[in-house]
Amino acid sequence: MPDFLLNPHLDRARPYGPELQAILSLEGAGEARETIRQWQGYAPTPLRSLPALAQEAGVAEILYKDEGKRFTLRSFKALGGAYAVDRLVAKSGREGLTVTCATDGNHGRAVAWGARRAGIRAVIYVHEGVSEGRAEAIRSYGAEVVRKGFNYDASVRASAEAAARNGWQIVSDTSWPGYEDVPRDVMQGYATLAMEVEEQGGKPTHVFVQGGVGGIAAAVLSYRWEKFGSGRPKMIVVEPENAACLLASAKAGTITNVTGDLETIIAGLACGEPSILAWTILDPGADAFMTVTDEDAAAAMRRLAEEGVVGGESGVAGLAGFRQVCAHPEWRAALGIDATSRILFYGTEGATDPAVYTAIVGRTPEEVEG
């Protein structure tokens, strides 16, 4: 069953001060954006208006930031993993540099792509639940793929152990004590999403954003919090019900891991351990946390396909969360969603595994897009 929690630690009056700016900042976001703009093939991804969905939900506007068009990776992760690789090469050079990470698919593909661009070696760890299609997509960028661990968090540990043994550099989208600089760069690259939405005229009152370890949620929240203060849109963080470490942390009042196999079709969000850096921003700044089921995600994929838009299992999490809010009048009222509301979703991936997408939606990505 989906769950919903207004953040008991929210402080919307709190300034985005130096302690938070040391993690993510407008200055850092601008630097990342200027670097990414120079990459071959860069273009802002589409910000799609979905008037039929807005009418169904009784709101003024629904916007969907379609990251299925991001470079050749079909995912927003290019903005983070590849940017962090660029930063590492700029600091220490290419000689002898090998990068590694754990992934559910998209982050590893981004790191592999960044490594190929930089001319360095990449070794990417995937767990037993990652589809072979996603593993093969990582290999297509020249990376070595090692399948180890029963879930994402186990793969993180396996990657870290290999890095320690071999002198490799971890490029992770999560952080832990003593490992913060690279994840900060990863998240700072993600802020490009919020900058593009603003440039494209998006003025949301509510943002539904993916959870996972918290990286993208912290990135887009930090940008709007520092820039707009208490006038920023409300931020609702959406997680799979089987991997809701951020919701668990909000309930407990401290970083809390969830355990088990974390099995979910929402593969990119199957994370049981929050990023400490991301949580430092989300704990006082996110408005609400909620969960969705696999069935919610599949239904959202199919409904989005009716509008001619391809959204992967993780990409539709925000839409799935919003549909659940609309089905619970008390949640909707708690968030102040009404006929004047403008809702933004980050469609963080397209069909990153076309076979999985087709099995869920019943049509191929090409058939959906016409």
Side-chain angles (χ1 to χ4, degrees), residues 161-237:
E161 290 165 2
R165 285 195 311 269
N166 298 299
W168 300 342
Q169 173 63 59
I170 303 170
V171 181
S172 178
D173 58 352
T174 192
S175 59
W176 53 84
Y179 178 72
E180 298 184 353
D181 289 347
V182 174
R184 186 181 291 113
D185 288 339
V186 171
M187 290 192 295
Q188 198 65 87
Y190 294 161
T192 294
L193 288 165
M195 299 177 77
E196 287 184 357
V197 167
E198 188 177 6
E199 291 165 0
Q200 291 168 316
K203 296 180 179 179
T205 59
H206 298 75
V207 179
F208 286 74
V209 64
Q210 286 77 349
V213 300
I216 182 176
V220 298
L221 171 59
S222 70
Y223 180 83
R224 292 187 171 91
W225 186 353
E226 185 174 357
K227 189 160 188 179
F228 302 111
S230 61
R232 66 186 184 273
K234 292 182 179 178
M235 180 79 62
I236 302 93
V237 180

Side-chain angles (χ1 to χ4, degrees), residues 289-332:
F289 299 88
M290 67 175 299
T291 63
V292 293
T293 67
D294 284 2
E295 291 76 15
D296 294 332
M301 291 170 69
R302 291 189 286 266
R303 181 63 188 88
L304 196 60
E306 293 175 17
E307 300 302 310
V309 180
V310 172
E313 307 94 289
S314 301
V316 301
L319 173 58
F322 175 69
R323 285 160 62 93
Q324 274 294 339
V325 165
C326 290
H328 291 78
E330 69 278 16
W331 298 358
R332 182 175 176 131

